[in-house]
Amino acid sequence: MTSPSPPNTGGGAPDEPQWLSPEEKEAWTGLASLVLLLPGRLESPLQREAGLTLFEYLTLSHISETPERRLRMSELAYLANGSLSRLSNVVKRFEQRGWVERFPDPEDGRFTLAALTDAGYEVVVAAAPTHVRAVRRLVLDPLTAADQRALARIAAKLRTRPVDLA
């Protein structure tokens, strides 16, 4: 993504890409590495010790952290970083295992709520220490407190939220 010639500083044709500087390329490849490699590294211990994918764990965890352990499916899809159809398939499996129940939102029937059962809560509580250990080892422990604050600021700037959930 870097150009063999000096970066375009805006003097070229309007449709000419503005090539990345070495510093920009380093930032971009660092982010790409995090986005592509970190999820698998966080998922491995969950798979090994709890039999859950990272997406499954995040789904259960996000529901468990809400009042009454229930959440709209659309909000849950955003929080777990998955499509509604992917989430629906996972929640269907969770329903079959007795971990989650779905029902219309009594405040607005156009939405569906996912509610964590006691059995589902036990699953996420049992898996949480594995996940927290991996998060600490892979993300938090290598960073200083200032690095952690910088990471939170950067994540907030780069985060996108669907309009219907804003």
Side-chain angles (χ1 to χ4, degrees), residues 6-162:
N8 181 354
T9 57
D15 59 344
E16 179 70 24
Q18 185 174 349
W19 298 107
L20 302 182
S21 70
E23 296 81 14
E24 290 170 327
K25 184 171 190 260
E26 184 177 1
W28 165 242
T29 56
L31 175 62
S33 292
L34 284 174
V35 168
L36 297 173
L37 299 175
L38 189 58
R41 291 178 180 165
L42 290 170
E43 183 170 88
S44 289
L46 280 171
Q47 281 275 16
R48 188 174 51 254
E49 296 181 32
L52 296 171
T53 67
L54 182 59
F55 183 77
E56 290 169 337
Y57 174 79
L58 291 174
T59 298
L60 294 171
S61 176
H62 286 302
I63 301 171
S64 77
E65 294 174 347
T66 62
E68 299 178 11
R69 297 192 311 223
R70 58 179 64 180
L71 192 58
R72 283 183 176 172
M73 291 284 288
S74 52
E75 180 78 3
L76 184 54
Y78 168 75
L79 292 170
N81 193 34
S83 68
L84 238 121
S85 62
R86 179 181 184 196
L87 176 64
S88 209
N89 288 327
V90 166
V91 169
K92 181 179 180 180
R93 286 195 307 274
F94 287 171
E95 284 178 307
Q96 292 166 347
R97 295 175 186 161
W99 298 351
V100 172
E101 296 172 340
R102 279 189 281 194
F103 51 88
D105 185 339
E107 293 179 17
D108 187 339
R110 297 175 295 170
F111 295 98
T112 299
L113 292 176
L116 198 60
T117 64
D118 290 340
Y121 186 72
E122 289 174 16
V123 169
V124 74
V125 166
T130 298
H131 179 65
V132 169
R133 280 192 297 273
V135 167
R136 286 201 171 284
R137 182 174 54 82
L138 297 169
V139 180
L140 299 175
D141 290 348
L143 302 178
T144 65
D147 291 338
Q148 291 174 16
R149 288 189 301 273
L151 182 59
R153 279 192 312 274
I154 291 164
K157 286 182 178 184
L158 298 181
R159 188 171 293 152
T160 59
R161 188 163 177 92

